[in-house]
Amino acid sequence: MKNRIICLLPLVISILVILQYVFVPNFREFTPLDQNAPTNVWVWFVGFFALLLGLWNIAAIFSKKANDRLRKSAPLFAVVFLLLLAYDYATLKTGALPQPFVPWPDAILNAIIRDRAILLTSLGHSLRLLFTGYAIGVGLGILTGVAAGWSAKVRYWVQPLTKLFGSVPSVTWLPIILVLATSLFAGAVFLIALAVWYPVTATTMNGVLSVPKSTFEAANTFGVSKLGMIFKVAIPASMPSIFGGLTQGMSIACTALLIAEMMGVEAGLGWYINWQRGWADFAAMYGAVVIIAVTFFAVNAVLDLIKRRVLRWKEG
């Protein structure tokens, strides 16, 4: 009985979100021409997830696997809907949060729908910039890290660089990069690559150094060449550390991306936020922030999926 109540909790709260939006009076009257006048978009949005939760609860009655997954996720979903309920109440219903600087959910959704074309284009620019810089940083980081971990001579020169770039945030170099770069896009790519290079290099180097000597000795008895030691022993054994650097590098790259777009690049979601801030369109600004959050969550989820797939031998 307790488990069933917990499983139903997100569905119940999502329905409360809809009822609160429909029946609780707004903090002020809106004219039909008001750009941020409340619509039914929020109702449809929450209703869609309420429908999914309802179907999930029905499936949980007949499937233990579905029931276990719902039981595990239900508390988190319930808290999310509670936060949405509180946020809508503090904005649209009471105006407790400063207006118009904090728009309500329905206004944010309508801004996303209204500017969907330019948001999609901006998202494409941001992803292109992100993955270009990330790929360069990862490639150079793994190459440098493996070389430094394998060779004491290379490590002598690389370690001071990792300490330097590790202690100084990459965005500190932004003014210099924008002056010296041949284009804003190239400068932003360099900034992201630099931000990614440090954690990937450091974790890869530490991963190679942490491989037990007995592993190399065992490979040597089987006649593995020195080059084979690197590609067949050192790198595979260092993959957990390397993926740690890849995950850390992606987080830093996302931050560097937004800073680069807000301060120089003439396209992308960061640029869109700056542009809408100039027009004081706060709903559109928040809409871009929502898209950024969802996109970065999806990118990190894919990276985590690849990590679990590659390291399935370690997970057992």
Side-chain angles (χ1 to χ4, degrees):
M1 185 62 180
K2 179 182 176 181
N3 287 339
R4 181 53 52 202
I5 293 174
I6 293 175
C7 290
L8 286 171
L9 199 57
L11 175 60
V12 173
I13 298 176
S14 66
I15 295 173
L16 287 177
V17 172
I18 297 174
L19 294 176
Q20 182 261 168
Y21 179 81
V22 173
F23 293 106
V24 176
N26 301 327
F27 79 98
R28 69 176 178 87
E29 294 293 329
F30 292 89
T31 63
L33 297 179
D34 193 330
Q35 178 176 318
N36 292 324
T39 66
N40 289 324
V41 172
W42 181 239
V43 173
W44 286 105
F45 179 80
V46 178
F48 172 75
F49 288 100
L51 177 61
L52 291 181
L53 287 169
L55 295 174
W56 198 352
N57 272 277
I58 294 173
I61 298 174
F62 303 99
S63 170
K64 186 179 184 304
K65 186 177 181 180
N67 180 75
D68 291 341
R69 288 184 175 180
L70 179 58
R71 174 63 181 81
K72 183 179 179 180
S73 305
L76 176 61
F77 291 157
V79 170
V80 169
F81 282 113
L82 274 176
L83 291 175
L84 291 175
L85 178 68
Y87 180 73
D88 190 58
Y89 184 78
T91 51
L92 179 61
K93 299 305 175 181
T94 63
L97 295 176
Q99 301 298 319
F101 307 106
V102 186
W104 42 91
D106 183 74
I108 296 172
L109 283 177
N110 278 289
I112 292 174
I113 295 171
R114 184 192 70 218
D115 288 353
R116 59 188 179 277
I118 190 169
L119 281 170
L120 189 61
T121 302
S122 297
L123 177 61
H125 280 286
S126 292
L127 291 177
R128 176 170 167 252
L129 179 57
L130 173 66
F131 286 117
T132 301
Y134 183 73
I136 294 173
V138 166
L140 292 176
I142 292 177
L143 182 65
T144 308
V146 170
W150 185 260
S151 170
K153 292 181 179 179
V154 176
R155 188 161 60 252
Y156 174 83
W157 296 101
V158 169
Q159 272 189 328
L161 291 178
T162 58
K163 291 180 181 179
L164 170 64
F165 290 112
S167 59
V168 180
S170 59
V171 295
T172 306
W173 309 101
L174 183 60
I176 300 174
I177 292 171
L178 293 179
V179 170
L180 298 179
T182 55
S183 68
L184 292 175
F185 181 83
V189 167
F190 181 81
L191 177 67
I192 295 171
L194 181 62
V196 174
W197 175 82
Y198 160 71
V200 175
T201 298
T203 54
T204 302
M205 179 177 63
N206 292 332
V208 174
L209 288 172
S210 65
V211 178
K213 291 184 178 180
S214 59
T215 305
F216 294 109
E217 292 171 357
N220 188 48
T221 59
F222 285 100
V224 179
S225 64
K226 181 173 287 189
L227 194 61
M229 291 281 191
I230 296 175
F231 290 98
K232 295 181 180 180
V233 179
I235 294 179
S238 304
M239 288 307 292
S241 297
I242 292 174
F243 269 103
L246 295 182
T247 303
Q248 183 182 352
M250 177 56 73
S251 299
I252 298 174
C254 292
T255 304
L257 168 71
L258 292 180
I259 294 174
E261 287 185 337
M262 285 180 158
M263 297 188 67
V265 178
E266 298 178 350
L269 292 173
W271 164 85
Y272 176 87
I273 291 174
N274 255 354
W275 176 48
Q276 294 296 358
R277 184 181 63 181
W279 289 99
D281 191 343
F282 300 105
M285 282 177 52
Y286 277 68
V289 171
V290 170
I291 292 176
I292 289 170
V294 172
T295 301
F296 290 170
F297 175 82
V299 169
N300 280 289
V302 171
L303 184 60
D304 185 63
L305 184 65
I306 296 172
K307 175 183 176 181
R308 285 190 280 113
R309 179 70 177 174
V310 174
L311 300 181
R312 61 188 183 276
W313 57 269
K314 185 175 181 292
E315 301 290 340

